[in-house]
Amino acid sequence: MSDLQRLLQRLDETGIEFVLVGGYAAMLHGSSLLTRDVDVCAVLTPANIEKLRDAFHDLHPQHRLSMPRRSFLDEPAPGTALDNLYLSTDWGALDLLGSITGVGDYARVASDAVEIDLFGRRVRAIGLDDLIAAKEALGRDKDRIAAKELRAIREKLRGG
């Protein structure tokens, strides 16, 4: 959790609006499933990409899905917007997604996000219904398992 805390704090300090999604969001909603990467939904404008470069430069960020791995400090070229960004840093993996499968773009995800106190900060996390929709839309085995558990959590919260 310390890497999550440090990555979220650093991301928060950039001033970029984001919503926590994925496995850590599922854990905040009560899931028992483990995850290793921090997933957030954000708008990756050229200005936001430069803010991310400035904020994470000392953590040796690399594009983790490229072979060989390329430095995020060098690519993409200045002025480039991105849909998604998958980084490896000294503090762990950080995935920045412009939209969430089964839910929509950042504005849509943010519209139903919930605020949670986490590590002394207010963090927005994807809403439970949207998280279930995203997991179901992805359709991988691990996502189907997560969706089933999250549906059970939702039913328990509703008193069912």
Side-chain angles (χ1 to χ4, degrees), residues 28-29 115:
L28 291 174
H29 283 291
E115 285 197 7

Side-chain angles (χ1 to χ4, degrees), residues 84-125:
N84 300 313
L85 185 57
Y86 304 95
L87 296 177
S88 172
T89 75
D90 291 347
W91 291 347
L94 174 63
D95 296 347
L96 297 110
L97 311 168
S99 65
I100 302 301
T101 302
V103 181
D105 66 4
Y106 169 79
R108 170 58 190 82
V109 173
S111 71
D112 286 333
V114 296
E115 285 197 7
I116 297 172
D117 286 316
L118 186 63
F119 309 120
R121 294 178 181 269
R122 296 294 290 167
V123 175
R124 290 187 305 164

Side-chain angles (χ1 to χ4, degrees), residues 37-118:
D37 59 345
V38 176
D39 301 302
V40 299
C41 186
V43 179
L44 298 174
T45 62
N48 283 349
I49 289 171
E50 290 309 310
K51 288 178 184 178
L52 289 167
R53 280 191 174 123
D54 289 343
F56 288 92
H57 72 278
D58 62 324
L59 300 180
H60 310 100
Q62 295 181 331
H63 296 277
R64 70 180 171 88
L65 300 184
S66 68
M67 289 299 164
R69 291 201 171 171
R70 297 182 315 270
S71 173
F72 172 59
L73 302 178
D74 300 326
E75 294 182 25
T80 303
L82 296 174
D83 292 327
N84 300 313
L85 185 57
Y86 304 95
L87 296 177
S88 172
T89 75
D90 291 347
W91 291 347
L94 174 63
D95 296 347
L96 297 110
L97 311 168
S99 65
I100 302 301
T101 302
V103 181
D105 66 4
Y106 169 79
R108 170 58 190 82
V109 173
S111 71
D112 286 333
V114 296
E115 285 197 7
I116 297 172
D117 286 316
L118 186 63

